[in-house]
DNA sequence: CAACTTTGTAAAAGTTTTGACAAATGACAT
DNA sequence: ATGTCATTTGTCAAAACTTTTACAAAGTTG
């Protein structure tokens, strides 16, 4: 029914959400696209165009109400309800995500953590006990879980993704060095987070800047 | 001197690098843009066009030599030499990055880990002892460090970025919930990794797919 | 050598971002 | 209470950028 929203727009929405959160905390009630544009370093036109994809949230001569706009973006992103989540892989990254996702006020809630390694099974991370991955199917039958975060080695991630999808998971937050979206059905949402790729881009940018500004190391 | 390479191209290069690595490990010697296109699910034309920004790495009738192409991309990305790195913030995420970056064969090497918390100072992560953040200026004077990874709370990250830049760091890998690129000079490369934004996009995509395919949970 | 493969690249098509402005609203003076 | 000026949105069209298509030229293979 609704027109398709472009990926580029969706990519920017969480950033608007973050800036609006900072403004709200600072007690700011209203903001114009022009002022937000200055703070976020994007064009005012882009802000207005992005928001207009979802309806007219602003008012001429006034701007946008910070709290209202933030709530609307939350609805669009699905942050207006609890998204239950499990973490598969209880290494440092898995534990970091578990700690961290529970922090995101209301929206994401880690209800289970799993690992294959008997050494970590039983350990508690933020009140949640690490369970054996063998218990995943049973767990998913008895709990309402939306999202699974995968912090596993490449080979295991693919298998695990298959198992999770078979057991009703429709969203994968993938940290393994592989593209899980190419392996699962179309009705499963996948976000691949390839940290190494981000680090490589940083390395490229560093190299480019050195070439541009000269390689004057101080020492 | 060289023409400007578009961001979109740079974003894709690490992914080519990864796929070429898998192919090389599998003993594949040559690959055509057509075959790579099938595996990576991008158009062959895009692959050829992307690579051509940096020179003709392929040969008509043959395709690309896997090992050679991978090496050339490594050079472009600055992976052909060791990039020394420090990690500031020794929480789970910091430890995950430290473990993980040392894994990236040759290219990235974590030489120091820092934290403010006395409870973790002295602890060893992969042979590297966690030091007090107070020692950072001294450390940077006596070591050749290219990159700093920041896994700190928002408020501390901004201050720390300033300190690091003052002491000669020209690349920041930022995991704090703030946009450090807006705070540092133009000759400092910044990659902001906003995990929460990635999770929100996943939430959005999940919601969209539910609307498209219907919300038929099995249980 | 002839048939086949495959690149590199020019041009077309598609998408995204920016610029410009009419219409709406708010704020203030009288 | 009303008019005027300043502000700011929503939106259309232009500009910029990215991706795809198409194909000549080059190289490979048997």
């Amino acid at each position: 029914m609704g027109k398709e929203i472009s990926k580029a727009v969706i990519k920017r929405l969480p950033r608007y959400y973050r800036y609006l959160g900072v403004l709200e905390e600072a007690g700011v009630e209203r903001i114009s696209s022009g002022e937000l544009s200055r703070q976020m370093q994007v064009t005012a036109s882009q802000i207005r165009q992005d928001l207009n994809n979802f309806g007219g949230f602003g008012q001429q001569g006034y701007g946008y109400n910070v709290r209202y706009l933030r709530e609307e973006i939350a609805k669009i992103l699905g942050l207006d309800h609890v998204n239950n989540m499990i973490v598969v892989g209880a290494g440092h990254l898995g534990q970091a995500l578990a700690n961290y996702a529970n922090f995101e006020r209301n929206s994401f809630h880690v209800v289970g953590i799993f690992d294959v390694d008997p050494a970590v099974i039983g350990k508690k991370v933020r009140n949640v006990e690490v369970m054996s991955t063998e218990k995943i199917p049973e767990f998913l039958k008895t709990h309402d879980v939306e999202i699974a975060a995968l912090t596993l080695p490449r080979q295991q991630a693919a298998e695990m993704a298959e198992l999770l999808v078979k057991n009703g998971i429709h969203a994968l937050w993938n940290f393994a060095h592989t593209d899980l979206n190419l392996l699962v059905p179309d009705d499963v949402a996948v976000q691949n987070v390839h940290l190494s790729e981000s680090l490589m881009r940083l390395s490229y940018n560093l190299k480019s800047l050195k070439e541009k500004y000269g390689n004057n190391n101080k020492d």
Side-chain angles (χ1 to χ4, degrees), chain A residues 20-159:
Chain A
L20 290 167
V22 172
L23 287 168
E24 197 180 338
E25 264 178 45
V28 177
E29 270 179 31
R30 59 183 264 194
I31 189 134
S32 68
S33 60
E35 178 52 28
L36 193 55
S37 139
R38 238 159 282 133
Q39 296 190 21
M40 296 186 65
Q41 304 264 47
V42 294
T43 64
S45 175
Q46 182 161 76
I47 294 174
R48 294 205 296 278
Q49 190 119 232
D50 281 352
L51 297 178
N52 239 151
N53 280 292
F54 304 96
F57 300 135
Q59 197 164 38
Q60 278 113 324
Y62 174 90
Y64 300 86
N65 178 285
V66 171
R67 182 201 289 254
Y68 170 70
L69 180 56
R70 186 155 187 269
E71 276 168 5
E72 288 302 312
I73 295 178
K75 280 184 207 164
I76 294 165
L77 292 172
L79 311 177
D80 56 340
H81 58 93
V82 176
N83 292 276
N84 283 337
M85 204 170 130
I86 60 171
V87 175
V88 186
H92 281 303
L93 185 53
Q95 289 186 49
L97 296 182
N99 279 320
Y100 159 81
N102 273 337
F103 259 103
E104 288 291 316
R105 261 290 178 262
N106 304 322
S107 310
F108 300 99
H109 189 213
V110 175
V111 294
I113 307 177
F114 300 88
D115 206 296
V116 279
D117 182 1
V120 279
I121 293 169
K123 191 180 163 182
K124 278 212 168 186
V125 178
R126 277 224 150 211
N127 293 328
V128 183
E129 197 175 314
V130 178
M131 289 168 272
S132 162
T133 50
E134 285 172 14
K135 294 197 173 162
I136 291 176
E138 183 58 28
F139 188 90
L140 293 180
K141 275 184 196 92
T142 54
H143 295 75
D144 182 25
V145 179
E146 300 271 15
I147 299 173
L150 276 82
T151 60
L152 298 166
R154 176 152 52 89
Q155 299 80 0
Q156 292 164 48
E159 268 185 75

Side-chain angles (χ1 to χ4, degrees), chain A residues 6 50 74 117 182 213:
Chain A
S6 105
D50 281 352
D117 182 1
L182 308 183
Y213 290 98

